[in-house]
Amino acid sequence: LRNWENVADIFQDSKKRKLPMDEKSWEMGIGALAHLGEWKCARTNLSTLWKLGKKPTSNTYDYVVDVLQIAGEWEMLLELFENVRKRGENLSFESFKVILISLAKANQWHRLIGFFEQAGVSPDTDVLNLVLLACANTKEIDRGLMAWKSFSSLRNEQSNMIKERLEALKSDH
């Protein structure tokens, strides 16, 4: 913890003194703030990095995504995703998964489905299961069954159980 505090202090001091910093320096500073749970500062510094015309590293985005997820800031995660996309950049697959998990924890099932469809990322088994669960929780039965069929190579015991739940919901209607 003390090392993260030292890095954060050096980072903040360097910014105050307007010392030149490359993208790696920003990554380390934002990463230190994230490790300290300073999500507002991490997010603000990411915005500053953008305003300076610098391109954040993938790790920088991952740090901000992680600290926002820990803070339960799912709305800010969606906003971050939109801002990154507008810049013509992409988040890592792990950050994509973290956003989905954050939406699931917040019971934002409709948003989870929309985010998955908008992101256009090929899922892994965990993502498929989250999407299927979201479809079951929102009664989006046909969407869930279509996703289950589309990603047959990712199916596992859990996804098969969720598919059975979707089919049971469909027969109830």
Side-chain angles (χ1 to χ4, degrees):
L1 183 63
R2 186 70 191 134
N3 287 339
W4 292 120
E5 290 171 350
N6 289 341
V7 172
D9 289 344
I10 292 168
F11 173 68
Q12 299 291 36
D13 184 59
S14 297
K15 280 183 18 193
K16 277 183 193 168
R17 294 174 42 196
K18 299 185 189 296
L19 297 176
M21 292 191 294
D22 62 7
E23 285 80 356
K24 192 68 177 170
S25 299
W26 281 90
E27 174 189 314
M28 290 175 60
I30 291 172
L33 293 168
H35 278 92
L36 295 170
E38 298 287 338
W39 65 268
K40 289 180 184 175
C41 286
R43 179 68 177 95
T44 299
N45 279 289
L46 177 60
S47 295
T48 301
L49 185 58
W50 285 336
K51 287 176 188 167
L52 293 172
K54 296 184 182 278
K55 182 179 178 183
T57 66
S58 179
N59 287 339
T60 303
Y61 285 134
D62 289 346
Y63 290 136
V64 175
V65 166
D66 287 344
V67 75
L68 289 174
Q69 188 268 333
I70 291 167
E73 295 292 333
W74 61 267
E75 291 160 318
M76 288 190 106
L77 285 168
L78 293 177
E79 180 184 312
L80 174 64
F81 174 77
E82 285 302 316
N83 287 334
V84 170
R85 291 291 281 253
K86 286 177 187 171
R87 294 176 54 80
E89 299 173 28
N90 292 306
L91 295 175
S92 70
F93 183 73
E94 286 307 311
S95 283
F96 167 76
K97 281 176 66 169
V98 167
I99 295 172
L100 286 174
I101 291 166
S102 186
L103 292 169
K105 285 181 179 179
N107 292 317
Q108 296 296 318
W109 301 111
H110 286 288
R111 284 190 172 92
L112 187 150
I113 296 166
F115 175 72
F116 171 74
E117 291 174 343
Q118 177 188 10
V121 175
S122 295
D124 64 6
T125 301
D126 295 333
V127 169
L128 174 63
N129 290 339
L130 274 174
V131 171
L132 293 175
L133 188 60
C135 290
N137 285 333
T138 59
K139 309 289 189 261
E140 295 278 351
I141 299 159
D142 291 332
R143 275 170 119 175
L145 291 173
M146 186 182 314
W148 187 84
K149 288 175 189 168
S150 297
F151 301 107
S152 60
S153 65
L154 301 175
R155 295 180 197 153
N156 65 6
E157 188 176 329
Q158 184 180 5
S159 57
N160 290 335
M161 287 173 37
I162 299 169
K163 178 206 171 241
E164 290 172 12
R165 181 174 166 196
L166 287 165
E167 289 173 334
L169 288 168
K170 188 171 187 163
S171 68
D172 288 347
H173 284 69

